[in-house]
Amino acid sequence: MLNSYDYFNTTLPLLGLYILMTILIVIGFLLLILPGIYLAIAYMLAIPLVVDKKMGIWEALETSRKAVTKRWFSIFGLTLLIMLINAIAMIPLGLGLIWTVPMSTIAFGILYRNIFGCSQQTLRSDTL
């Protein structure tokens, strides 16, 4: 049975991953705009890889980059579409975000599942 506290051991690796990912993306934006955009899209699935697949920091960054690079333009298009939908949802005082933010999270979750699949621990029904 999976305990709800079992994911606390990933807090420090996630913090390290987030800091390294942010540094690399900022360096990409400082070099030129395009490398920063590429890295921001390529590293978007690194955080779920650390949590779901128990990968290390650099391993998650590289795995995410290699997997996303194969489908970079379609993932970039999906990201732009979700950003546009969220921007339109902000117009009526942000009320539309009640529906679009969960939709965005689910869309990226489905993207992750379609690219990497789910681990057996994630699929178990007795984890609750």
Side-chain angles (χ1 to χ4, degrees), residues 1-107:
M1 176 122 173
L2 184 65
N3 191 346
S4 60
Y5 299 110
D6 287 344
Y7 291 105
F8 280 131
N9 60 354
T10 61
T11 303
L12 289 178
L14 285 175
L15 179 65
L17 170 72
Y18 184 74
I19 290 170
L20 181 61
M21 187 170 65
T22 303
I23 290 170
L24 291 173
I25 291 170
V26 167
I27 289 172
F29 275 115
L30 290 176
L31 292 175
L32 288 173
I33 299 297
L34 291 178
I37 293 172
Y38 168 76
L39 289 177
I41 299 297
Y43 288 157
M44 76 171 22
L45 298 176
I47 291 176
L49 282 171
V50 170
V51 174
D52 187 39
K53 306 285 189 202
K54 310 271 189 278
M55 290 186 177
I57 294 173
W58 190 254
E59 181 184 11
L61 287 172
E62 283 300 301
T63 303
S64 176
R65 185 188 59 79
K66 288 176 184 176
V68 169
T69 298
K70 295 176 185 174
R71 307 166 184 88
W72 193 86
F73 286 105
S74 61
I75 294 173
F76 180 67
L78 173 70
T79 305
L80 282 179
L81 180 66
I82 288 176
M83 287 171 55
L84 176 68
I85 291 170
N86 285 333
I88 292 171
M90 282 190 274
I91 292 172
L93 301 174
L95 291 176
L97 293 174
I98 294 170
W99 294 279
T100 60
V101 169
M103 180 208 62
S104 304
T105 305
I106 291 170

